[in-house]
Every structure is written in C-alpha cells, then in structure tokens.
Amino acid sequence: MDSVLSSESVAASAPGTGAGGMYVRDSVRQSVKLLIVGHFAVGKTTLVGTLSEIRPLRTEERMTQAGAPVDDLSGVPDKTHTTVAMDFGRLTLSDRLVLYLFGTPGQGRFKRLWEDLARGALGALVLVDTRRLDQSFEIMDLVERHGLPYAVAVNAFDGAPVFPEEEVREALDLHPATPLVTCDARDRASSARALIALVDHLIALDREAS
C-alpha cells in the first residue's frame, strides 16, 4: 500500500478541498475502494455523506407498508427511506491518492448486490448499533467470507445504551486485533476517526505482509 495512505492524511482532508471540485486531479495515481457496511438503518448513508468531499450518490427509496415484514423498524421507528443499491462518496487524501467509499444495503435481500460491491475493495468499516448488535452477525460473516480486513465502529445513536469495549468485543466475538471505535456518523471529525481506525489497520496488515 502506498505510504501516502495515512491517518494524518485522512484527518487533514476536508469536503470540497481535496480534489478542487467534482473531478479527480490528473496527478492522482492510486485509488482505494473501501466499503461502509452494516445492518439496516445503522447510519451508513449518513457516514458516507458526512465524509464525502463531493455530493454523495444515494439510491434511497421511500419505505412502504409492503416492506414492513422484511425491514425491521424496531429501534428506528422514524426511518422513512432505505438504500436500495448503494451510497457512493469520494475522499481525496493527497495529490496522488483518493478513497472511494461505497455504502452497501443492509438488508439480506440485497446480498447479491453486496457481493458485487465487495469486488476490488481493500477493506470495510462495519457500523453497529448497540441496540441491535445481533443484527451485525450476518454482515460481519459476509465481510469475513470475502476475506476483507475490517474495523468496527459503534454508531452512537441518541439514547442507545453504552457498554464497555470489552463487552461489545465479546458480544460481537471480535478478534483481538480488530479495531473497535465509537463514532457519531453525523459528525465529520468523529466519522474521520472511525475511517482512520480502518486505514491504520490496513497499513499495519500491509506492513506485516511485506
């Protein structure tokens, strides 16, 4: 992995300043594809939009009564829209490197699309909600099945219970080396720290392999 992929470059980047507009600079020589994954209504669309330097691509549709049997709204009764394909954002880290962020649908019926989006991805940031930790297992299984390194970020929803890190790790059965952080997907600095945790993890794994 190129040495310009660093936590400092993620923290220093800001929306609209990296690429100077809609198009990527001609000097960019490396792009990295990262997935933002998690169960239904965990905040993936929000996080991609918070971090993206361009207006994010969103494929949200209004939820209907017909979807009630398959889209569990327990814990998120005010949710009115859901992603039906993907979210897409971009974050330029330097003159040479750009991150492409792909937010995946959280429902099981979109598994085939999820698998298509996973092709070519370098790693994944898994968002979880402490009110519905059990819903994260299927997503984490998909990530591991595709051999994607990942970090886990607890999205701090208002009113959600707060547990010690050890309890969350145990509940999710995380490997000791898997990064676990807390973030607020609505806040850029907080979301950037979650992405930094993934980036640092990928750098460490790359150094171990080289």
Side-chain angles (χ1 to χ4, degrees):
M1 189 184 303
D2 198 301
S3 61
V4 297
L5 181 53
S6 66
S7 59
E8 290 80 5
S9 57
V10 175
S13 62
T17 62
M22 181 182 298
Y23 301 103
V24 176
R25 292 174 181 170
D26 292 338
S27 59
V28 170
R29 294 292 178 266
Q30 184 176 9
S31 61
V32 173
K33 179 181 182 181
L34 299 176
L35 299 186
I36 309 299
V37 306
H39 59 68
F40 172 66
V42 77
K44 302 178 295 294
T45 297
T46 300
L47 188 136
V48 171
T50 298
L51 287 173
S52 181
E53 68 192 10
I54 60 174
R55 182 177 180 179
L57 169 66
R58 291 173 174 167
T59 57
E60 288 189 305
E61 294 292 340
R62 180 171 291 277
M63 300 178 65
T64 65
Q65 190 63 35
V70 291
D71 294 332
D72 184 5
L73 289 175
S74 58
V76 285
D78 297 328
K79 187 172 178 62
T80 59
H81 291 74
T82 185
T83 299
V84 296
M86 68 175 185
D87 301 305
F88 172 76
R90 189 187 77 206
L91 187 62
T92 300
L93 300 188
S94 73
D95 289 340
R96 294 188 293 148
L97 178 67
V98 63
L99 298 183
Y100 292 116
L101 308 177
F102 288 81
T104 65
Q107 299 96 316
R109 64 182 183 275
F110 295 117
K111 184 180 296 185
R112 181 67 60 86
L113 176 60
W114 194 103
E115 292 173 345
D116 288 341
L117 290 174
R119 293 193 181 99
L122 197 63
L125 180 65
V126 181
L127 286 183
V128 302
D129 180 351
T130 56
R131 298 168 297 182
R132 298 175 291 154
L133 287 177
D134 59 309
Q135 296 183 22
S136 300
F137 295 130
E138 182 178 6
I139 296 297
M140 293 172 65
D141 182 62
L142 280 172
V143 172
E144 293 176 352
R145 194 183 309 163
H146 283 78
L148 291 175
Y150 64 94
V152 175
V154 176
N155 194 7
F157 286 93
D158 295 335
V162 178
F163 300 109
E165 178 178 330
E166 296 76 13
E167 291 187 18
V168 177
R169 283 189 170 276
E170 183 177 358
L172 294 175
D173 193 25
L174 295 182
H175 188 280
T178 301
L180 175 64
V181 298
T182 300
C183 76
D184 182 339
R186 301 165 296 184
D187 179 77
R188 178 174 172 78
S190 178
S191 298
R193 285 193 293 271
L195 193 63
I196 287 168
L198 172 61
V199 169
D200 284 344
H201 185 48
L202 296 177
I203 291 172
L205 292 175
D206 184 67
R207 287 173 177 167
E208 290 176 5
S210 61

